[in-house]
Each structure stands twice: as C-alpha cells, then as structure tokens.
Amino acid sequence: MTDVLGDVKQARRPAPTLSFGDYVRIARRELRMSQGELAAALSIKTPTLSAWESGRNVPDDLPRVASDLERVTGFARQWFLGWGDVVPPATSDTEVPSIGTASSG
C-alpha cells in the first residue's frame, strides 16, 4: 500500500531563500535603475554589482554595503541582509534617487 502522507511530506520543500544578490537585483529593478546607475550611486564598478546580483561574489563588508544600499535606494538595510520580516517600501511611493545633476543649456 502506498503511503499517501509520505508522498505529501516529500513534496513539501522549504520556500527558497533569497541571497544578498537577489535583494540587490529586486531593489534595483523596483527602482527602475540600470546596473550602471546603481553602481555609480554606490561608487562601485558595474561588474562588481553584476557579480553581487549573480551570486558570484558578496561584499567583504556586507553591513556597510547594506547601509549604503539603504541610503541610495530607501530600502531598509535589514531587508538586504535578509533579517526577519522587513519588507521593502512600496514602489508606487518610492522616489527614484537622483544620481547626478543635469545642466541645462
């Protein structure tokens, strides 16, 4: 006889957890920023940001970078670190940070 509950238990898998890079990518996309724009705002190189987002690398000083990301994006640094139930701000109310100034004429 087949153990139906055994099959159900095997089918249950924990929800996938997000990596630091996933959080960075989610925030960047929610703010409609390119990798280059976010990298410039963080004073890092675009390939560094790309490596974070892809999971190839993580910052050496993760808490400091999470604070920098909070300053630039408005998303809580705890969210970037995956701590607890901290949620990002609603994007409809989020202003895209100014990265530079444009000169006219």
Side-chain angles (χ1 to χ4, degrees), residues 21 24 33 43 61-62 68 71 95:
V24 173
M33 296 176 79
S43 300
D61 190 358
L62 197 53
D68 292 345
R71 176 183 46 80
E95 284 187 34

Side-chain angles (χ1 to χ4, degrees), residues 2-97:
T2 305
D3 181 7
V4 175
L5 289 178
D7 292 341
V8 170
K9 289 177 185 175
Q10 286 181 343
R12 290 184 189 162
R13 292 192 172 94
T17 57
L18 297 175
S19 69
F20 170 75
D22 293 329
Y23 288 110
V24 173
R25 184 177 52 256
I26 290 166
R28 179 180 60 76
R29 287 181 177 172
E30 288 292 319
L31 295 172
R32 294 180 181 93
M33 296 176 79
S34 69
Q35 284 184 338
E37 290 170 332
L38 182 54
L42 293 170
S43 300
I44 62 171
K45 295 180 180 179
T46 303
T48 300
L49 183 69
S50 177
W52 293 350
E53 287 189 4
S54 69
R56 291 188 315 267
N57 200 353
V58 293
D60 291 332
D61 190 358
L62 197 53
R64 181 191 54 78
V65 172
S67 292
D68 292 345
L69 283 161
E70 179 180 50
R71 176 183 46 80
V72 169
T73 67
F75 288 59
R77 66 183 169 273
Q78 295 90 343
W79 183 75
F80 287 105
L81 297 170
W83 293 353
D85 296 330
V86 178
V87 295
T91 56
S92 60
D93 298 329
T94 304
E95 284 187 34
V96 176

